[in-house]
Amino acid sequence: MFVQQLEPVADSLTLSALVATLPLLTVLALLGGVRMRAHYAGPIGLAVAVLVACLPYGMPIGQTFSSAAQGVLFGLFPIMWIVVNALWVYRMTVRTDHFDVLRRSFGRLSDDPRVQALVIAFCFGALLEALAGFGAPVAISAVMLVALGFDPVRAAVVALVANTAPVAFGAMATPVVTLAQVTGLPLDSVASVVGRQTPLLALVVPLLLVVLVDGRRGLRETWIPALACGTAFAAAQFTVSNYLSVQLADIAAALVGAAALVAVPSARRPAEEPVRAAVLTGVRSDDLDQVDQRPEVLRAYAPYALIVAIFSMAQIGPVKDLLAKATRTIDWPFLDVAAPDGKAVAGNLFALPLVATGGTLVLLAGLATAAVLRVGARDALGEWAATVRELRHAILTVTSVLALAYVMNLSGQAATIGHFVAAAGAGLAFLSPVLGWFGVAVSGSDTSANALFGALQVTAARESGLSPDLLAAANSSGGVLGKMISPQNLTIACAAVGLKGREGDLLRKVLPWSLGLLLLMCLIVVAQSSFLLGWMLP
């Protein structure tokens, strides 16, 4: 048995914490300073984590590599299993031209560009985040807006800022699932707290979007549909994440938000020409006047309806129990770790949900989608393989970062940092979202930031007397606000709308909004840690 040590370096917590941060500092320096690509920085950071675990912390080499292997497996299944299958569904809609049908359908909901931004960037972007995440919502939403006549810079900024509130529950709740896994906290308890933080952002973001599209006039003329959309989205995200299904939180929020928006009479009212002339400064796509037959429109919406239906069925009691029977709990080989108090850690066991996982359910929806869209078996398999090739760098990044996180957690490095950070005391509640924001700003992924800092937040919370669930959730909720300034997302946005090399311009436009919303989240967490909003916590 390997027993973790909190102060392996000269019996000093400070020196031990400095050494324990080397893997994180390596990754952050390579990404933020050297600007190395993430799929190179991740493995290098993993190598540093292995060295720190084996040398100062004294973890046996076999157990170190075993913990890294567990992180790799978790990165592949269920994390990237979800992302691959979700993007596969999207690729099939593009192959059959049904994605263009969907885009034209959205364009006909309203000719007001401010409402179009809410429908596409906020609501449909949230649906894409729920299904895939990892940059897909920004790229797809920005392309749609440009096709409707938005200036490329404006389209990119709107898509980036909109990609905030749904991120924590994105990719079938992958960030929250990862957070629960690396912290050992129950998924339902962590998700319920996140579901009482990010909905507050959803109330604000639609109002910001109409300001970004049309300034003060946009807010003055369209605040009612924006507020209706945000309120409905927030209510649905809170309700579903707390009482129904974590995986369905963003799907339900996106659909309910869109329905509330369309239901507002002023949202469907034709926009005045001065508004359209001022906002739509780009070139509109020539195919927007094309009339699509009703059966083709229904097929365009079918993939998303199938995903919602299959996930909803999976939440029915008897069905859920049946799917859970396929879950296998493995006594992880070559791993026998105890915490400093001598108790075995949860990482010695590994749960493998073969069927009751988001990726498998999306795969079933994908097979049904192929039938509905009339994609042949050979073509569908080819699109799946092409999706894997497209995501090969993301797969390497995610698996290496999760392997790094598992090595740090199981060797005791995260516990050392957590005990050291706990010295911040009451200020920890304010700093907790900042840590998540910084992690996502550098890595581009709320999942990665949760894997890196989740266990640290929990350890610090327990040492300082704060709620572990609150600080773990704050890591994810603060992290979503770093996504709009991450180099990965900025590059994706620029590439999507033809602004290659102008990442700096976009950064300067979105950074103030990122920092402003981060301050709001910090204040929310501080209030939730005190009597002011403590009643909000479950």
Side-chain angles (χ1 to χ4, degrees):
M1 177 180 286
F2 166 69
V3 181
Q4 297 173 346
Q5 303 177 65
L6 290 178
E7 301 176 356
V9 182
D11 293 326
S12 168
L13 183 61
T14 300
L15 292 177
S16 299
L18 289 175
V19 172
T21 58
L22 287 177
L24 297 176
L25 292 176
T26 299
V27 174
L28 298 179
L30 292 176
L31 289 173
V34 182
R35 296 191 177 181
M36 180 181 290
R37 293 188 175 182
H39 61 276
Y40 293 132
I44 293 174
L46 171 59
V48 175
V50 168
L51 289 175
V52 173
C54 293
L55 297 178
Y57 278 82
M59 190 178 196
I61 186 69
Q63 296 210 47
T64 302
F65 280 105
S66 180
S67 60
Q70 187 177 143
V72 169
L73 178 58
F74 183 68
L76 291 173
F77 191 96
I79 302 304
M80 292 309 298
W81 180 237
I82 298 171
V83 178
V84 167
N85 289 324
L87 283 179
W88 172 54
V89 173
Y90 162 70
R91 287 181 66 99
M92 285 193 290
T93 66
V94 173
R95 182 185 183 92
T96 59
D97 294 330
H98 285 92
F99 178 73
D100 291 330
V101 175
L102 187 68
R103 173 172 55 81
R104 289 192 289 268
S105 176
F106 285 157
R108 296 188 190 103
L109 289 176
S110 173
D111 72 343
D112 190 325
R114 300 161 300 190
V115 175
Q116 290 173 345
L118 294 174
V119 171
I120 294 173
F122 188 71
C123 296
F124 186 59
L127 184 60
L128 293 172
E129 183 67 39
L131 303 180
F134 291 89
V138 170
I140 296 169
S141 298
V143 168
M144 276 190 166
L145 292 175
V146 169
L148 291 174
F150 276 69
D151 171 74
V153 173
R154 197 194 306 259
V157 170
V158 167
L160 285 166
V161 174
N163 191 220
T164 48
V167 169
F169 295 105
M172 298 302 174
T174 294
V176 177
V177 170
T178 303
L179 184 62
Q181 181 77 11
V182 301
T183 59
L185 297 172
L187 174 60
D188 290 342
S189 65
V190 175
S192 66
V193 179
V194 176
R196 295 161 196 248
Q197 294 173 342
T198 56
L200 299 177
L201 294 176
L203 295 173
V204 177
V205 171
L207 297 172
L208 293 183
L209 294 181
V210 296
V211 171
L212 288 171
V213 172
D214 195 27
R216 292 181 180 178
R217 177 178 59 183
L219 183 61
R220 184 175 63 252
E221 296 181 359
T222 55
W223 69 269
I224 293 178
L227 188 60
C229 177
T231 302
F233 185 102
Q237 191 181 61
F238 161 74
T239 302
V240 176
S241 64
N242 275 268
Y243 304 111
L244 297 176
S245 166
V246 176
Q247 287 82 2
L248 288 175
D250 275 351
I251 293 177
L255 296 177
V256 172
L261 176 62
V262 174
V264 176
S266 60
R268 301 191 304 274
R269 191 177 303 141
E272 297 178 4
E273 192 54 39
V275 173
R276 293 181 53 80
V279 176
L280 300 182
T281 54
V283 180
R284 200 179 79 152
S285 176
D286 293 334
D287 69 345
L288 287 177
D289 295 326
Q290 180 178 334
V291 178
D292 297 302
Q293 299 299 315
R294 182 175 293 274
E296 295 306 309
V297 175
L298 293 176
R299 286 195 183 96
Y301 283 92
Y304 311 101
L306 286 168
I307 290 175
V308 172
I310 289 175
F311 270 85
S312 298
M313 289 178 59
Q315 303 307 312
I316 299 174
V319 177
K320 190 174 184 178
D321 294 339
L322 181 63
L323 296 178
K325 289 181 179 179
T327 298
R328 297 290 180 266
T329 300
I330 303 170
D331 189 357
W332 194 258
F334 310 110
L335 196 63
D336 188 9
V337 179
D341 60 6
K343 296 181 180 179
V345 300
N348 293 329
L349 300 175
F350 185 81
L352 195 63
L354 299 176
V355 181
T357 183
T360 302
L361 297 178
V362 174
L363 176 64
L364 295 176
L367 295 174
T369 294
V372 171
L373 300 186
R374 299 170 185 168
V375 179
R378 181 186 296 273
D379 291 336
L381 184 60
E383 289 296 336
W384 194 90
T387 303
V388 174
R389 286 196 300 272
E390 179 185 340
L391 291 173
R392 63 189 184 279
H393 291 157
I395 292 172
L396 179 57
T397 300
V398 170
T399 52
S400 61
V401 167
L402 280 164
L404 180 155
Y406 270 63
V407 169
M408 290 189 65
N409 293 342
L410 291 170
S411 66
Q413 297 173 56
T416 297
I417 300 172
H419 280 74
F420 180 77
V421 172
L428 187 59
F430 185 87
L431 296 175
S432 185
V434 178
L435 191 60
W437 174 85
F438 184 68
V440 176
V442 173
S443 69
S445 165
D446 200 38
T447 299
S448 296
N450 286 344
L452 290 172
F453 300 131
L456 184 158
Q457 298 265 24
V458 168
T459 302
R462 286 172 176 157
E463 288 299 307
S464 61
L466 294 171
S467 165
D469 290 331
L470 174 62
L471 293 202
N475 192 84
S476 191
S477 299
V480 306
L481 301 171
K483 190 134 186 176
M484 70 178 80
I485 64 168
S486 69
Q488 171 184 306
N489 257 24
L490 290 170
T491 301
I492 288 172
C494 285
V497 298
L499 296 173
K500 186 176 180 180
R502 294 185 60 183
E503 289 85 355
D505 295 339
L506 287 186
L507 177 61
R508 285 189 290 273
K509 289 183 177 295
V510 299
L511 181 58
W513 301 110
S514 178
L515 293 175
L517 291 171
L518 175 63
L519 176 60
L520 174 62
M521 181 54 63
C522 290
L523 295 175
I524 289 171
V525 175
V526 169
Q528 289 180 334
S529 69
S530 69
F531 68 93
L532 292 174
L533 293 180
W535 52 268
M536 289 184 63
L537 300 183

